Amino acid sequence: MKNKSDGFSQQFLPDYTVGPEAYKDVAAVCGKYGTKAIAIGGKRALAAAKGELEKALNGSGIEILDFVWYGGEASFENAENIMALDKFAQADMIFAFGGGKALDTCKYSAYVSKKPVFTFPTIAGTCAAASSEAIMYYPSGVMRETVETGRPAVHIFINTKIIAEAPEVYLWTGIGDTMAKHFETSLAGRGKELSHGEALGIEMGSMCYKPLVKYSKKALDDCKNNVSSYDLEQICLCNIVTTGLVSGFINSSLNSNIAHSIFYGMTVLPQIEKDHLHGEVVSYGVLVLLIYDNQLERLDELYPFYKSIGLPTKLADIDVKMEELTPVIDKCLDVEDIHNVPYEVTREKLMEAITYLEEYNLKH
């Protein structure tokens, strides 16, 4: 969201429409950018959104040239395949549907082709719909690089009816990932001379914590029952918009540290890659962060919340044993994010924090 050049900087903020009938706003918002769009996204996402979109655009003058699967991976190769399509060349704008990888593929394609992109998140698991970054992978699924596109999508259409009809696990893992945004950014910014944008981003990070505790339980219940509700809308805004705003105002050195490093460390274990989701493991890392940073009162606050919605509070919840932690800690200490704290993170203290959390569970 942030562009810097010689002597000045630009800040772009994402516009959005939210609610069960959010697509009714598509024609009014997008019509000024042209009359032909190509819809790109995940298979489930396109299937879920197609009817609602076509109904909203009926008689509007905007034509959907085609509905195209993004390829299944956020890779340069898939983006190039999309951009090679005749219908893509004919389109005035890109409508991007789905979760993180589908949206990032579209954002990268828009960046290269210089076409306006509009995002239509069909799950509330990431901030991809609101962020300016496109996280790109090799076709094998290995992370490749992050491309900064310069600005977020022109507009985000958050249809809470469609999100409510998606599996609740995506909302759940998004809550876990969003939780980290507050605790990691506030820790990373401690003691630093922050710019206006950085300070504002970190302050906004508190909105990645309090609303989650207040609204998550009912939002997940409503999602399980396919009900679009006020509580669900609040969590969608948290997981998609607030996290995107925070990421847009701060730089990478403030964006993540201990919680995400724990996740990266855990990915060396096959059971994590196979059976557990990013936000799920990151949420466990938040508890380790709180113990490492001696924020034990916050641990006491969060523990019952985690239990109420089933987020992991101990190693067994993510199928990890203490004797498996040596390579996990090795990887954790090897990633760049671990240095984004105001002190040195050591192997011994990390193990102490994890052990403390195991014992805390036994007492509660």
Side-chain angles (χ1 to χ4, degrees):
M1 293 184 206
K2 217 181 303 184
N3 272 348
K4 289 188 176 180
S5 187
D6 293 337
F8 71 94
S9 64
Q10 292 174 292
Q11 183 75 45
F12 297 100
L13 302 178
D15 294 335
Y16 66 88
T17 303
V18 62
E21 297 187 356
Y23 290 2
K24 285 187 175 180
D25 207 21
V26 174
V29 171
C30 302
K32 67 188 75 172
Y33 292 89
T35 59
K36 296 179 180 179
I38 185 168
I40 305 167
K43 292 179 180 178
R44 191 207 68 80
L46 291 173
K50 184 178 180 180
E52 291 285 331
L53 180 67
E54 289 178 335
K55 183 173 66 175
L57 293 180
N58 185 33
S60 70
I62 294 179
E63 177 187 2
I64 304 297
L65 299 177
D66 202 358
F67 289 84
V68 177
W69 180 47
Y70 80 103
E73 187 55 81
S75 67
F76 295 129
E77 290 81 0
N78 281 334
E80 287 164 5
N81 290 337
I82 289 167
M83 289 186 285
L85 297 172
D86 289 341
K87 293 294 176 66
F88 184 92
Q90 296 167 22
D92 301 314
M93 50 194 160
I94 300 166
F95 288 179
F97 293 83
K101 289 191 174 184
L103 299 180
D104 283 357
T105 303
C106 293
K107 287 189 295 182
Y108 177 76
S109 300
Y111 170 65
V112 173
S113 65
K114 295 181 170 55
K115 292 181 186 287
V117 61
F118 300 84
T119 53
F120 297 73
T122 54
I123 59 174
T126 74
C127 66
S131 76
S132 60
E133 294 180 337
I135 302 173
M136 306 301 289
Y137 295 76
Y138 289 100
S140 64
V142 175
M143 198 274 181
R144 191 168 186 172
E145 66 179 273
T146 298
V147 177
E148 175 52 63
T149 68
R151 62 163 302 152
V154 178
H155 199 96
I156 314 162
F157 297 95
I158 307 169
N159 187 311
T160 54
K161 177 178 180 291
I162 291 173
I163 292 173
E165 292 170 352
E168 68 270 15
V169 67
Y170 297 116
L171 190 70
W172 178 72
T173 191
I175 290 166
D177 200 25
T178 297
M179 183 69 69
K181 189 69 73 176
H182 168 57
F183 293 104
E184 289 188 302
T185 56
S186 59
L187 176 58
R190 186 186 300 164
K192 290 186 177 179
E193 182 65 33
L194 301 172
S195 69
H196 170 269
E198 290 168 343
L200 181 58
I202 289 173
E203 285 298 316
M204 284 193 296
S206 66
M207 286 292 289
C208 294
Y209 164 54
K210 296 174 184 177
L212 296 182
V213 174
K214 184 174 182 179
Y215 298 112
S216 288
K217 181 64 169 66
K218 187 171 185 301
L220 286 165
D221 289 341
D222 291 338
C223 190
K224 187 174 183 178
N225 293 310
N226 304 136
V227 175
S228 173
S229 66
Y230 177 80
D231 297 74
L232 178 73
E233 181 176 307
Q234 296 309 301
I235 298 303
C236 288
L237 290 172
C238 251
N239 290 0
I240 296 170
V241 177
T242 309
T243 52
L245 284 168
V246 174
S247 293
F249 275 106
I250 64 178
N251 62 52
S252 59
S253 69
L254 297 171
N255 202 36
S256 70
N257 43 68
I258 293 174
H260 273 81
S261 296
I262 290 289
F263 164 75
Y264 296 132
M266 291 292 184
T267 61
V268 305
L269 303 177
Q271 66 266 36
I272 296 296
E273 288 289 292
K274 180 174 179 288
D275 298 321
H276 297 280
L277 297 166
H278 173 90
E280 175 188 6
V281 182
V282 168
S283 71
Y284 168 81
V286 169
L287 300 184
V288 177
L289 178 157
L290 294 177
I291 296 167
Y292 197 102
D293 196 52
N294 201 33
Q295 297 184 46
L296 300 183
E297 289 184 3
R298 284 293 179 87
L299 175 65
D300 291 337
E301 289 175 20
L302 278 186
Y303 186 83
F305 167 68
Y306 270 49
K307 286 295 187 182
S308 73
I309 65 169
L311 287 173
T313 63
K314 58 183 183 295
L315 291 173
D317 292 339
I318 50 174
D319 301 314
V320 176
K321 299 176 181 177
M322 288 292 290
E323 54 266 31
E324 295 180 287
L325 288 179
T326 296
V328 170
I329 301 300
D330 288 342
K331 178 65 175 178
C332 179
L333 294 172
D334 190 49
V335 298
E336 186 176 343
D337 303 56
I338 200 66
H339 302 296
N340 298 334
V341 293
Y343 41 69
E344 181 185 5
V345 178
T346 68
R347 173 183 300 275
E348 294 74 23
K349 288 187 177 180
L350 269 180
M351 285 300 298
E352 286 175 11
I354 292 170
T355 302
Y356 184 102
L357 185 54
E358 293 297 295
E359 295 171 350
Y360 186 93
N361 275 268
L362 293 174
K363 297 173 184 176
H364 294 78

